[in-house]
Amino acid sequence: MKYSISILAATLCLTMHSANAQNSKAELLGLEATVKEKASAANSTSTSSEYGVYQLQSELVAVPQALADRSASKKDIGNMTLVARAVSTGTERLTEFRRNSVVRNAVTGELGVITGNISVLSSRNADINDLLQQFQLKVVRSASSSGVYIVQPKNDVDLVALVEQINSSGLVSKARLDIIEEKYTNQ
């Protein structure tokens, strides 16, 4: 008798879980379609103020904490403080990714700061000096034995356009714009 009640209870539990799984599957399929529609709409309306999952926050700028007006600060990230951008800033620069620009991660919603550095993995057959000369870059740090370099443009330029040019040049395997974000851990 004990075994038949246990078998009946187990059968009921499995039936309930199966029914819930079918409901969840239908919800997830509907959600997946909605996500795909939103993604295709976002791709068709993408602007120059996006880089991957990052969206430019033109109303903010990052300044070193020592120089920031603490009464006007929005948030601290690393050794930078986010403050409202001055009204006198040129409008052409508001849509460009430049050093100390503030971005929002569309996935996490967190704010980040563009460092102005570009991480580069050099090609095996290319000389890093060719890259430095062609794009007016300077080396900030290097691990030349592994072919990894952190470079910075000598002039103030739109960094997303520069990264695209570097990637398409054939002189590197991969180039990526460095962005500082807060790191959260489970500790």
PDB file of all heavy atoms in Angstrom, residues 4 18 27 34 37 39 41 46 52 60 72 81 87 89 91 99 119 147 154 156-157 163 174:
ATOM      1  N   SER A   4       2.214   1.940  -3.498  1.00  0.00           N
ATOM      2  CA  SER A   4       1.246   2.433  -4.480  1.00  0.00           C
ATOM      3  C   SER A   4       0.930   3.906  -4.253  1.00  0.00           C
ATOM      4  O   SER A   4       0.728   4.655  -5.212  1.00  0.00           O
ATOM      5  CB  SER A   4      -0.039   1.589  -4.450  1.00  0.00           C
ATOM      6  OG  SER A   4      -0.659   1.679  -3.178  1.00  0.00           O
ATOM      7  N   SER A  18       5.253  18.436 -15.946  1.00  0.00           N
ATOM      8  CA  SER A  18       5.139  18.392 -17.402  1.00  0.00           C
ATOM      9  C   SER A  18       4.190  19.486 -17.897  1.00  0.00           C
ATOM     10  O   SER A  18       4.477  20.173 -18.880  1.00  0.00           O
ATOM     11  CB  SER A  18       4.639  17.020 -17.846  1.00  0.00           C
ATOM     12  OG  SER A  18       4.447  16.992 -19.224  1.00  0.00           O
ATOM     13  N   GLU A  27       5.443  30.339 -23.109  1.00  0.00           N
ATOM     14  CA  GLU A  27       5.793  31.700 -22.702  1.00  0.00           C
ATOM     15  C   GLU A  27       7.163  32.087 -23.238  1.00  0.00           C
ATOM     16  O   GLU A  27       7.364  33.190 -23.732  1.00  0.00           O
ATOM     17  CB  GLU A  27       5.786  31.812 -21.178  1.00  0.00           C
ATOM     18  CG  GLU A  27       4.405  31.763 -20.566  1.00  0.00           C
ATOM     19  CD  GLU A  27       4.458  31.746 -19.047  1.00  0.00           C
ATOM     20  OE1 GLU A  27       5.519  32.037 -18.469  1.00  0.00           O
ATOM     21  OE2 GLU A  27       3.422  31.431 -18.447  1.00  0.00           O
ATOM     22  N   THR A  34       9.376  38.158 -29.275  1.00  0.00           N
ATOM     23  CA  THR A  34       9.361  39.568 -28.920  1.00  0.00           C
ATOM     24  C   THR A  34      10.777  40.133 -28.881  1.00  0.00           C
ATOM     25  O   THR A  34      11.032  41.230 -29.368  1.00  0.00           O
ATOM     26  CB  THR A  34       8.681  39.767 -27.548  1.00  0.00           C
ATOM     27  OG1 THR A  34       7.379  39.191 -27.598  1.00  0.00           O
ATOM     28  CG2 THR A  34       8.590  41.226 -27.176  1.00  0.00           C
ATOM     29  N   GLU A  37      12.063  40.624 -32.398  1.00  0.00           N
ATOM     30  CA  GLU A  37      11.466  41.800 -33.025  1.00  0.00           C
ATOM     31  C   GLU A  37      12.130  43.078 -32.541  1.00  0.00           C
ATOM     32  O   GLU A  37      12.439  43.970 -33.317  1.00  0.00           O
ATOM     33  CB  GLU A  37       9.961  41.862 -32.722  1.00  0.00           C
ATOM     34  CG  GLU A  37       9.141  40.800 -33.440  1.00  0.00           C
ATOM     35  CD  GLU A  37       7.704  40.755 -32.943  1.00  0.00           C
ATOM     36  OE1 GLU A  37       7.315  41.603 -32.116  1.00  0.00           O
ATOM     37  OE2 GLU A  37       6.980  39.848 -33.381  1.00  0.00           O
ATOM     38  N   ALA A  39      15.151  43.364 -31.270  1.00  0.00           N
ATOM     39  CA  ALA A  39      16.531  43.407 -31.748  1.00  0.00           C
ATOM     40  C   ALA A  39      16.596  43.868 -33.197  1.00  0.00           C
ATOM     41  O   ALA A  39      17.448  44.670 -33.570  1.00  0.00           O
ATOM     42  CB  ALA A  39      17.192  42.040 -31.608  1.00  0.00           C
ATOM     43  N   ALA A  41      14.402  45.742 -34.718  1.00  0.00           N
ATOM     44  CA  ALA A  41      14.043  47.164 -34.730  1.00  0.00           C
ATOM     45  C   ALA A  41      15.216  48.010 -34.268  1.00  0.00           C
ATOM     46  O   ALA A  41      15.477  49.076 -34.828  1.00  0.00           O
ATOM     47  CB  ALA A  41      12.827  47.413 -33.831  1.00  0.00           C
ATOM     48  N   SER A  46      19.832  51.803 -35.473  1.00  0.00           N
ATOM     49  CA  SER A  46      21.059  52.043 -34.729  1.00  0.00           C
ATOM     50  C   SER A  46      21.691  53.353 -35.195  1.00  0.00           C
ATOM     51  O   SER A  46      21.647  53.709 -36.364  1.00  0.00           O
ATOM     52  CB  SER A  46      22.033  50.879 -34.894  1.00  0.00           C
ATOM     53  OG  SER A  46      22.811  51.040 -36.025  1.00  0.00           O
ATOM     54  N   GLY A  52      28.456  48.197 -29.748  1.00  0.00           N
ATOM     55  CA  GLY A  52      28.081  46.916 -29.164  1.00  0.00           C
ATOM     56  C   GLY A  52      26.860  47.098 -28.282  1.00  0.00           C
ATOM     57  O   GLY A  52      25.832  47.612 -28.724  1.00  0.00           O
ATOM     58  N   LEU A  60      26.367  63.265 -19.773  1.00  0.00           N
ATOM     59  CA  LEU A  60      27.354  63.084 -18.711  1.00  0.00           C
ATOM     60  C   LEU A  60      28.761  63.041 -19.283  1.00  0.00           C
ATOM     61  O   LEU A  60      28.968  62.683 -20.437  1.00  0.00           O
ATOM     62  CB  LEU A  60      27.098  61.780 -17.955  1.00  0.00           C
ATOM     63  CG  LEU A  60      25.787  61.666 -17.183  1.00  0.00           C
ATOM     64  CD1 LEU A  60      25.603  60.255 -16.647  1.00  0.00           C
ATOM     65  CD2 LEU A  60      25.747  62.669 -16.055  1.00  0.00           C
ATOM     66  N   ALA A  72      28.013  68.274  -7.592  1.00  0.00           N
ATOM     67  CA  ALA A  72      27.343  68.005  -8.870  1.00  0.00           C
ATOM     68  C   ALA A  72      27.598  66.586  -9.374  1.00  0.00           C
ATOM     69  O   ALA A  72      27.200  66.242 -10.470  1.00  0.00           O
ATOM     70  CB  ALA A  72      27.818  69.001  -9.919  1.00  0.00           C
ATOM     71  N   THR A  81      34.772  60.556 -11.705  1.00  0.00           N
ATOM     72  CA  THR A  81      33.463  60.971 -11.210  1.00  0.00           C
ATOM     73  C   THR A  81      32.627  61.422 -12.394  1.00  0.00           C
ATOM     74  O   THR A  81      33.105  62.162 -13.253  1.00  0.00           O
ATOM     75  CB  THR A  81      33.602  62.134 -10.204  1.00  0.00           C
ATOM     76  OG1 THR A  81      34.362  61.669  -9.090  1.00  0.00           O
ATOM     77  CG2 THR A  81      32.255  62.609  -9.717  1.00  0.00           C
ATOM     78  N   VAL A  87      27.179  73.012 -20.785  1.00  0.00           N
ATOM     79  CA  VAL A  87      26.307  73.424 -21.881  1.00  0.00           C
ATOM     80  C   VAL A  87      27.123  73.914 -23.071  1.00  0.00           C
ATOM     81  O   VAL A  87      26.714  73.772 -24.219  1.00  0.00           O
ATOM     82  CB  VAL A  87      25.341  74.538 -21.395  1.00  0.00           C
ATOM     83  CG1 VAL A  87      24.466  75.037 -22.523  1.00  0.00           C
ATOM     84  CG2 VAL A  87      24.514  74.039 -20.235  1.00  0.00           C
ATOM     85  N   THR A  89      29.676  72.689 -24.472  1.00  0.00           N
ATOM     86  CA  THR A  89      30.340  71.630 -25.237  1.00  0.00           C
ATOM     87  C   THR A  89      29.824  71.617 -26.663  1.00  0.00           C
ATOM     88  O   THR A  89      28.631  71.751 -26.905  1.00  0.00           O
ATOM     89  CB  THR A  89      30.081  70.259 -24.588  1.00  0.00           C
ATOM     90  OG1 THR A  89      30.504  70.311 -23.238  1.00  0.00           O
ATOM     91  CG2 THR A  89      30.821  69.160 -25.313  1.00  0.00           C
ATOM     92  N   THR A  91      28.351  70.444 -30.072  1.00  0.00           N
ATOM     93  CA  THR A  91      27.349  69.408 -30.316  1.00  0.00           C
ATOM     94  C   THR A  91      27.854  68.279 -31.186  1.00  0.00           C
ATOM     95  O   THR A  91      27.349  67.176 -31.105  1.00  0.00           O
ATOM     96  CB  THR A  91      26.089  70.018 -30.970  1.00  0.00           C
ATOM     97  OG1 THR A  91      26.483  70.689 -32.167  1.00  0.00           O
ATOM     98  CG2 THR A  91      25.402  70.966 -30.028  1.00  0.00           C
ATOM     99  N   ARG A  99      37.528  59.900 -25.322  1.00  0.00           N
ATOM    100  CA  ARG A  99      38.046  59.644 -23.980  1.00  0.00           C
ATOM    101  C   ARG A  99      37.192  60.369 -22.940  1.00  0.00           C
ATOM    102  O   ARG A  99      36.777  61.506 -23.150  1.00  0.00           O
ATOM    103  CB  ARG A  99      39.487  60.132 -23.884  1.00  0.00           C
ATOM    104  CG  ARG A  99      40.127  59.845 -22.551  1.00  0.00           C
ATOM    105  CD  ARG A  99      41.542  60.308 -22.519  1.00  0.00           C
ATOM    106  NE  ARG A  99      42.190  59.819 -23.730  1.00  0.00           N
ATOM    107  CZ  ARG A  99      43.384  60.175 -24.130  1.00  0.00           C
ATOM    108  NH1 ARG A  99      44.080  61.046 -23.458  1.00  0.00           N
ATOM    109  NH2 ARG A  99      43.895  59.690 -25.228  1.00  0.00           N
ATOM    110  N   SER A 119      42.681  47.980 -26.670  1.00  0.00           N
ATOM    111  CA  SER A 119      43.426  46.733 -26.515  1.00  0.00           C
ATOM    112  C   SER A 119      43.574  46.100 -27.883  1.00  0.00           C
ATOM    113  O   SER A 119      42.595  45.968 -28.612  1.00  0.00           O
ATOM    114  CB  SER A 119      42.680  45.773 -25.583  1.00  0.00           C
ATOM    115  OG  SER A 119      42.547  46.334 -24.305  1.00  0.00           O
ATOM    116  N   GLY A 147      51.868  39.301 -27.752  1.00  0.00           N
ATOM    117  CA  GLY A 147      51.293  40.082 -28.841  1.00  0.00           C
ATOM    118  C   GLY A 147      50.144  40.975 -28.424  1.00  0.00           C
ATOM    119  O   GLY A 147      49.391  41.454 -29.265  1.00  0.00           O
ATOM    120  N   LYS A 154      47.246  59.533 -30.201  1.00  0.00           N
ATOM    121  CA  LYS A 154      47.957  60.739 -29.768  1.00  0.00           C
ATOM    122  C   LYS A 154      47.040  61.948 -29.777  1.00  0.00           C
ATOM    123  O   LYS A 154      47.242  62.895 -29.025  1.00  0.00           O
ATOM    124  CB  LYS A 154      49.161  60.988 -30.670  1.00  0.00           C
ATOM    125  CG  LYS A 154      50.242  59.935 -30.518  1.00  0.00           C
ATOM    126  CD  LYS A 154      51.409  60.195 -31.449  1.00  0.00           C
ATOM    127  CE  LYS A 154      52.465  59.116 -31.304  1.00  0.00           C
ATOM    128  NZ  LYS A 154      53.552  59.285 -32.273  1.00  0.00           N
ATOM    129  N   ASP A 156      42.837  63.589 -29.988  1.00  0.00           N
ATOM    130  CA  ASP A 156      41.464  63.314 -29.576  1.00  0.00           C
ATOM    131  C   ASP A 156      40.637  62.984 -30.815  1.00  0.00           C
ATOM    132  O   ASP A 156      40.418  63.848 -31.668  1.00  0.00           O
ATOM    133  CB  ASP A 156      40.884  64.536 -28.850  1.00  0.00           C
ATOM    134  CG  ASP A 156      39.523  64.264 -28.259  1.00  0.00           C
ATOM    135  OD1 ASP A 156      39.234  63.101 -27.919  1.00  0.00           O
ATOM    136  OD2 ASP A 156      38.736  65.223 -28.136  1.00  0.00           O
ATOM    137  N   VAL A 157      40.220  61.718 -30.951  1.00  0.00           N
ATOM    138  CA  VAL A 157      39.480  61.259 -32.132  1.00  0.00           C
ATOM    139  C   VAL A 157      38.271  60.446 -31.693  1.00  0.00           C
ATOM    140  O   VAL A 157      38.153  60.052 -30.531  1.00  0.00           O
ATOM    141  CB  VAL A 157      40.367  60.391 -33.054  1.00  0.00           C
ATOM    142  CG1 VAL A 157      41.521  61.197 -33.609  1.00  0.00           C
ATOM    143  CG2 VAL A 157      40.872  59.174 -32.327  1.00  0.00           C
ATOM    144  N   VAL A 163      38.747  52.257 -33.928  1.00  0.00           N
ATOM    145  CA  VAL A 163      38.790  50.806 -33.701  1.00  0.00           C
ATOM    146  C   VAL A 163      38.362  50.062 -34.963  1.00  0.00           C
ATOM    147  O   VAL A 163      38.968  49.052 -35.334  1.00  0.00           O
ATOM    148  CB  VAL A 163      37.911  50.412 -32.486  1.00  0.00           C
ATOM    149  CG1 VAL A 163      37.707  48.911 -32.409  1.00  0.00           C
ATOM    150  CG2 VAL A 163      38.541  50.916 -31.200  1.00  0.00           C
ATOM    151  N   LYS A 174      42.721  41.502 -33.589  1.00  0.00           N
ATOM    152  CA  LYS A 174      41.524  42.056 -32.960  1.00  0.00           C
ATOM    153  C   LYS A 174      41.891  43.328 -32.223  1.00  0.00           C
ATOM    154  O   LYS A 174      42.945  43.417 -31.594  1.00  0.00           O
ATOM    155  CB  LYS A 174      40.941  41.027 -31.983  1.00  0.00           C
ATOM    156  CG  LYS A 174      39.666  41.421 -31.314  1.00  0.00           C
ATOM    157  CD  LYS A 174      38.522  41.427 -32.291  1.00  0.00           C
ATOM    158  CE  LYS A 174      37.226  41.747 -31.561  1.00  0.00           C
ATOM    159  NZ  LYS A 174      36.165  42.048 -32.455  1.00  0.00           N
TER     160      LYS A 174
END
